[in-house]
């Protein structure tokens, strides 16, 4: 005989028919958890937030106030930024009670995440999905101590998740087949752009690409080829602007003219082979870090953290708004 719990889980999709109004537990109110909370609330969901820091509620509310104008300008409805849509909870179990989606955003430590899952599992709805923001922990390790590992999915955002569209989804052979599609529908309903990994690799896709670029950026500074500021400029004033519009494969396909990527490869294959051989393998030694931070001091030129963050977000808003209009 099939138990009630199994029947509930088999009927998971039935619980996610209305993607516009879910109850989402956000566990962890740091950089990522606050940003997720803002996005979910602005997307019409109820958020139950838990963080052991006593000041977490104040931090979250201050963050919501800060990002409200940006999200409003993007067309989100921020009227639910207060109670009753937002509930600050005293325990993780209280936060997950009644929640369909659990967005875990606690520090990147396997033991902490495994302990949290063990703590919340008894209080979860049978059909609830647990999504982790983890940047690089293995899903199989995260699932290891779970009673029901089928409900766990990686949903890795790019900072700040309330603005950057990308969410990288990964479910393995222990993840229930309906969990990734449900997670995709949920995040797309919040305006996100999802990709799905077909196999597990450390750091998923986007962080590997970022790591590859940063490695060479560090190498160029360490070798004295260009200053920190000029290397940064080479990205934002150059290919970075194109990358906001299309990915590297598509752009180089255009770089080959009418002949596309094949023509590009015919022309540049030998060059790339030589360039790849010449790329650096820097280490983050104290000397290298000092060179980077000295260079950044010049580039920052006295601006404080809040100013830099506001500059980033204002300009991101302009790019997102312009792209949305261009793609409409
Ligand atoms: N920072 C980034 O750029 C970035 C980007 C994408 C994904 N991530 C991932 O998001 C997750 C969170 O990263 P972050 O940068 O927001 O970290 P953070 O340190 O800013 O925030 C973590 C929060 O979790 C809280 N916390 C600790 N233990 C907890 C527990 N048991 N239950 C509930 N809350 C707890 C802390 O008090 C803190 O407020 C990590 O897995 C990280 O890999 C981070």
């Amino acid at each position: 005989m099939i138990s009630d719990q199994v029947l509930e889980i088999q009927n998971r999709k039935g619980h996610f028919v209305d993607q516009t109004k879910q109850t989402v537990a956000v566990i962890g109110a740091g950089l990522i958890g606050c940003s997720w909370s803002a996005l979910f609330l602005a997307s019409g969901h109820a958020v139950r937030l838990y963080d052991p820091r006593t000041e977490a509620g104040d931090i979250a509310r201050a963050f919501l106030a800060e990002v409200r104008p940006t999200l409003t300008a993007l067309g989100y409805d921020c009227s639910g930024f207060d109670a009753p849509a937002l509930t600050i909870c005293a325990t993780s179990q209280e936060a997950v009670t009644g929640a369909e989606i659990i967005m875990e955003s606690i520090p990147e430590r396997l033991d902490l995440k495994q302990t949290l899952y063990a703590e919340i599992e008894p209080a979860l709805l049978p059909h609830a999905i647990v999504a982790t923001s983890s940047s690089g922990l293995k899903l199989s390790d995260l699932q290891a101590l779970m009673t029901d590992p089928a409900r766990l999915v990686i949903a890795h955002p790019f900072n700040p998740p309330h603005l950057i569209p990308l969410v990288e989804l990964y479910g393995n052979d222990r993840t229930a087949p309906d969990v990734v599609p449900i997670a995709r529908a949920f995040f797309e309903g919040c305006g996100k752009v999802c990709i799905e990994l077909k196999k597990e690799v450390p750091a998923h896709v986007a962080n590997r690409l970022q790591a590859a670029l940063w490695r060479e950026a560090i190498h160029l500074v360490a070798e004295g080829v260009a200053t920190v500021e000029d290397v940064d400029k080479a990205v934002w004033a150059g290919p970075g602007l194109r990358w906001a519009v299309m990915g590297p494969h598509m752009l180089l396909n255009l770089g080959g003219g009418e002949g596309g990527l094949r023509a590009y490869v015919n022309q540049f294959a030998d060059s790339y082979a030589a360039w790849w051989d010449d790329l650096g393998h820097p280490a983050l030694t104290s000397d290298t870090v000092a060179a980077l931070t000295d260079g950044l001091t010049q580039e920052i030129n006295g601006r404080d953290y809040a100013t830099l963050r506001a500059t980033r977000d204002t300009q991101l808003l302009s790019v997102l708004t312009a792209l949305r209009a261009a793609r409409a």
Side-chain angles (χ1 to χ4, degrees):
M1 192 181 141
I2 302 177
S3 71
D4 286 352
Q5 169 148 5
V6 171
L7 279 175
E8 269 292 290
I9 293 167
Q10 284 175 347
N11 188 30
R12 180 180 268 127
K13 275 201 171 129
H15 291 279
F16 290 93
V17 174
D18 181 7
Q19 287 286 0
T20 59
K21 262 204 184 319
Q22 307 282 359
T23 299
V24 187
V26 175
I27 312 292
L31 202 60
I32 299 301
C34 283
S35 181
W36 274 135
S37 300
L39 178 79
F40 299 152
L41 288 167
S43 303
H45 304 298
V47 167
R48 300 175 63 76
L49 181 64
Y50 167 67
D51 190 298
R53 288 191 290 169
T54 45
E55 70 279 24
D58 292 340
I59 291 172
R61 277 186 276 268
F63 184 87
L64 292 175
E66 184 187 326
V67 302
R68 189 179 194 124
T70 312
L71 281 169
T72 304
L74 276 173
Y76 287 93
D77 174 3
C78 297
S79 55
F81 268 18
D82 309 301
L86 173 64
T87 310
I88 307 296
C89 299
T91 66
S92 58
Q93 292 214 351
E94 185 192 330
V96 302
T97 301
E100 278 104 9
I101 308 261
I102 321 303
M103 190 73 240
E104 174 271 299
S105 300
I106 71 169
E108 186 77 345
R109 270 186 41 198
L110 182 61
D111 58 333
L112 286 186
K113 293 192 194 262
Q114 285 180 335
T115 306
L116 173 76
Y117 302 157
E119 217 171 83
I120 60 174
E121 266 201 297
L124 292 175
L125 291 173
H127 62 275
I129 286 177
V130 180
T132 172
S133 298
S134 174
S135 302
L137 297 174
K138 282 175 75 174
L139 181 58
S140 46
D141 291 339
L142 290 165
Q143 287 166 320
L145 306 182
M146 291 182 79
T147 311
D148 179 12
R151 57 166 98 241
L152 187 65
V153 60
I154 288 188
H156 176 247
F158 238 60
N159 187 43
H162 70 278
L163 286 185
I164 300 293
L166 182 67
V167 179
E168 299 178 295
L169 297 172
Y170 176 62
N172 60 12
D173 53 1
R174 299 183 79 191
T175 309
D178 57 358
V179 166
V180 172
I182 290 171
R184 174 185 274 271
F186 169 71
F187 288 109
E188 287 180 349
C190 297
K192 300 287 99 178
V193 174
C194 296
I195 69 160
E196 284 177 37
L197 274 74
K198 295 180 191 304
K199 61 195 237 187
E200 189 159 74
V201 283
H204 321 311
V205 172
N207 264 334
R208 291 177 73 93
L209 295 171
Q210 178 168 260
L213 179 73
W214 194 39
R215 177 162 74 182
E216 188 54 23
I218 294 167
H219 176 68
L220 291 167
V221 171
E223 290 300 303
V225 175
T227 62
V228 167
E229 185 168 5
D230 275 356
V231 171
D232 277 1
K233 219 180 264 179
V235 176
W236 66 255
L241 208 51
R242 299 196 320 199
W243 289 330
V245 177
M246 288 178 181
H249 296 113
M250 185 68 96
L251 286 164
L252 296 184
N253 183 59
L254 289 174
E258 293 289 340
L261 189 68
R262 279 191 193 288
Y264 187 85
V265 170
N266 283 341
Q267 194 179 355
F268 291 110
D270 291 344
S271 304
Y272 272 93
W275 297 344
W276 282 328
D277 281 347
D278 194 54
L279 293 178
H281 290 86
L284 287 169
T285 61
S286 51
D287 283 352
T288 305
V289 174
L292 296 176
T293 51
D294 287 351
L296 270 172
T297 304
Q298 303 264 317
E299 183 178 348
I300 289 168
N301 196 22
R303 290 170 292 171
D304 62 15
Y305 176 77
T307 306
L308 286 172
R309 196 160 87 163
T311 303
R312 178 196 66 187
D313 291 354
T314 308
Q315 295 185 12
L316 273 176
L317 173 62
S318 302
V319 173
L320 289 167
T321 309
L323 286 177
R324 181 186 289 177
R327 286 171 179 162

